């Protein structure tokens, strides 16, 4: 049985200045490393600080690499459609050397409609641009000639292409990731199909895993990462008190974006936004009910959309390390 890897994920959303967000996120990742987490993941967002506080993930991870020793460092995700693929290839190659090959490269096409405009794109172009950029990125890492016989990536990074993860919301996207031999990244939550606001997340994501595994070439080991919102506190009452404002705010944002959220209670918001919170036994029981987690190789935990204070994030990391991670690592992969 393969041991599941446990990660910590942050969108850098602490209610402080940008500089302080980066300091606190670094401290949270260091804390996760000390407590035995296998990986740390950060998101990229352009322009909209309430969606995510980091436009330059590889720059930030270079800083984190200098302040950590063993924890693997992942992007969840780089919005590749808005990037220059060759510059991503170069920056990632340098970062991988500086971190002693600890980099994991999660990629996606991006989802905030207005963010594409300053890059000369529209959201309707994202799929085709992402495909082109991904081709260029992988070509550079393979050491292919780049437009002229004299041009090859330096420093070379021949193994980075084996550490690519693709984020997707669709069965078709999961199948493409599998066929290419990449890792599959599953979101902490995603919009429900029309008319099914209470459909369990596992009912959406298990078919994605099926498609990924069916398309994966023979001899390629599956890499499936599931991100989950999990906030663990010393008591259920305290966790509920911190969870209520964050989940209410997220529900309002989902509704403003045109998604259906039914009900106005903490329980209905938690169910439809897929948030696990409470004391350690409650969170563990909630996570165990998610059949997706039995099938993945990696589970990474974030506190968004609850977004509690920094001290509570550190305490949640501790409680996950002590009470949640050992149980989930032992889950047999289905």
């Amino acid at each position: 049985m393969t041991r599941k890897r446990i990660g910590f994920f942050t969108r850098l959303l602490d209610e402080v200045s940008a500089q302080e967000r980066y300091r606190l996120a670094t401290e949270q990742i260091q804390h996760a490393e000390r407590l035995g987490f296998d990986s740390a993941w950060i998101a990229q967002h352009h322009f909209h600080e309430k969606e995510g506080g980091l436009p330059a993930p590889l720059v930030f991870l270079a800083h984190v690499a200098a302040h950590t020793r063993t924890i693997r460092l992942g992007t969840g995700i780089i919005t590749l459609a808005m990037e220059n693929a060759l510059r991503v290839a170069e920056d990632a190659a340098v970062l991988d050397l500086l971190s002693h090959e600890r980099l994991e490269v999660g990629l996606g096409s991006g989802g905030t409609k207005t963010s594409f405009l300053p890059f000369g794109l529209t959201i309707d172009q994202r799929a085709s641009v992402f495909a082109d950029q991904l081709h260029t990125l992988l070509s550079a890492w393979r050491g292919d000639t780049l437009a002229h016989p004299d041009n090859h990536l330096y420093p070379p990074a021949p193994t980075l292409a084996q550490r690519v993860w693709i984020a997707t919301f669709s069965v078709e996207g999961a199948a493409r990731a599998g066929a290419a031999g990449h890792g599959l990244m599953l979101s902490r939550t995603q919009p429900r199909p029309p008319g099914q606001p209470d459909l369990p997340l596992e009912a959406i994501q298990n078919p994605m895993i099926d498609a990924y595994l069916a398309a994966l070439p023979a001899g390629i080991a599956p890499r499936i990462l599931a991100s989950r919102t999990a906030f663990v506190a010393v008591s259920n009452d305290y966790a509920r008190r911190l969870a209520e404002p964050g989940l209410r705010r997220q529900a309002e944002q989902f509704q403003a974006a045109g998604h259906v959220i039914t009900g106005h209670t903490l329980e209905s918001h938690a169910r439809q936004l897929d948030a696990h919170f409470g004391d350690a036994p409650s969170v563990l029981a909630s996570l165990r009910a998610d059949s997706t987690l039995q099938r993945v190789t990696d589970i990474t935990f974030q506190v968004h959309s609850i977004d509690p204070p920094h001290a509570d994030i550190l305490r949640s990391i501790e409680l996950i390390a002590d009470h949640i991670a050992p149980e989930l690592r032992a889950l047999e992969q289905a």
Side-chain angles (χ1 to χ4, degrees):
M1 182 177 68
T2 302
R3 171 184 178 272
K4 292 187 190 297
R5 295 176 291 266
I6 303 297
F8 169 72
F9 179 92
T10 177
R11 290 172 63 160
L12 291 85
L13 285 169
D14 301 87
E15 291 292 331
V16 291
S17 69
Q19 183 179 43
E20 186 68 356
R21 282 182 174 185
Y22 303 151
R23 186 188 72 81
L24 295 179
T26 301
E27 185 175 325
Q28 291 159 15
I29 292 170
Q30 289 175 305
H31 199 53
E33 180 181 65
R34 285 192 295 268
L35 291 164
F37 278 63
D38 300 289
S39 62
W41 300 77
I42 48 90
Q44 179 183 38
H45 291 85
H46 293 288
F47 313 124
H48 303 282
E49 71 274 13
K50 294 189 181 300
E51 292 185 3
L54 184 63
L58 298 177
V59 173
F60 176 72
L61 287 182
H63 166 76
V64 173
H67 290 82
T68 56
R69 295 183 59 193
T70 60
I71 196 166
R72 301 198 66 75
L73 305 174
T75 58
I77 55 171
I78 293 173
T79 52
L80 190 60
M82 302 182 213
E83 300 294 325
N84 180 304
L86 288 177
R87 290 293 299 116
V88 172
E90 291 176 327
D91 287 351
V94 172
L95 171 55
D96 200 44
L97 289 179
L98 293 174
S99 66
H100 300 283
E101 298 186 336
R102 287 189 279 146
L103 182 60
E104 301 286 336
V105 186
L107 304 170
S109 57
T112 303
K113 187 174 182 179
T114 58
S115 294
F116 290 87
L117 301 177
F119 295 97
L121 300 170
T122 67
I123 195 169
D124 295 334
Q125 297 172 282
R126 63 178 174 171
S128 61
V129 174
F130 175 81
D132 290 343
Q133 296 280 58
L134 180 58
H135 175 80
T136 300
L137 183 70
L138 297 175
S139 178
W141 283 338
R142 285 195 301 263
D144 295 347
T145 295
L146 302 172
H148 187 279
D150 290 346
N151 295 336
H152 297 275
L153 185 72
Y154 182 84
T159 66
L160 271 179
Q162 301 164 27
R163 286 178 266 150
V164 166
W165 302 73
I166 303 297
T168 183
F169 275 2
S170 72
V171 168
E172 296 77 14
R176 285 194 297 271
H182 300 317
L184 173 66
M185 301 185 82
L186 303 174
S187 177
R188 66 184 175 86
T189 189
Q190 62 187 87
R192 290 345 192 222
Q196 302 181 72
D198 288 314
L199 187 70
L201 184 62
E202 62 186 352
I204 299 173
Q205 293 189 339
N206 274 324
M208 296 166 63
I209 294 175
D210 292 339
Y212 171 81
L213 293 174
L216 197 68
I220 302 295
R223 292 179 292 128
I224 308 170
L225 181 149
S227 180
R228 290 295 183 265
T229 294
F231 172 59
V232 187
V234 293
S235 73
N236 285 320
D237 287 343
Y238 186 69
R240 288 174 61 87
R241 193 157 65 246
L242 290 184
E244 195 279 331
L247 291 178
R248 183 180 67 248
R249 183 170 57 247
Q250 185 70 59
E252 291 169 352
Q253 292 172 355
F254 265 50
Q255 288 174 316
H259 304 302
V260 175
I261 297 289
T262 61
H264 302 282
T265 67
L266 178 58
E267 286 72 21
S268 64
H269 288 162
R271 184 176 64 255
Q272 293 172 66
L273 297 173
D274 306 295
H276 307 267
F277 56 86
D279 62 15
S282 299
V283 172
L284 181 59
S286 181
L287 291 168
R288 280 186 174 278
D290 183 351
S291 65
T292 306
L293 301 185
Q294 297 180 12
R295 308 183 67 192
V296 303
T297 58
D298 297 71
I299 306 170
T300 184
F301 292 113
Q302 58 180 294
V303 294
H304 183 70
S305 325
I306 295 168
D307 300 322
H310 175 64
D312 293 299
I313 294 175
L314 295 180
R315 184 60 177 140
S316 180
I317 291 170
E318 294 169 1
L319 292 168
I320 288 173
D322 290 343
H323 303 288
I324 307 294
E327 299 294 329
L328 294 184
R329 283 193 174 110
L331 278 178
E332 185 172 355
Q333 191 168 338

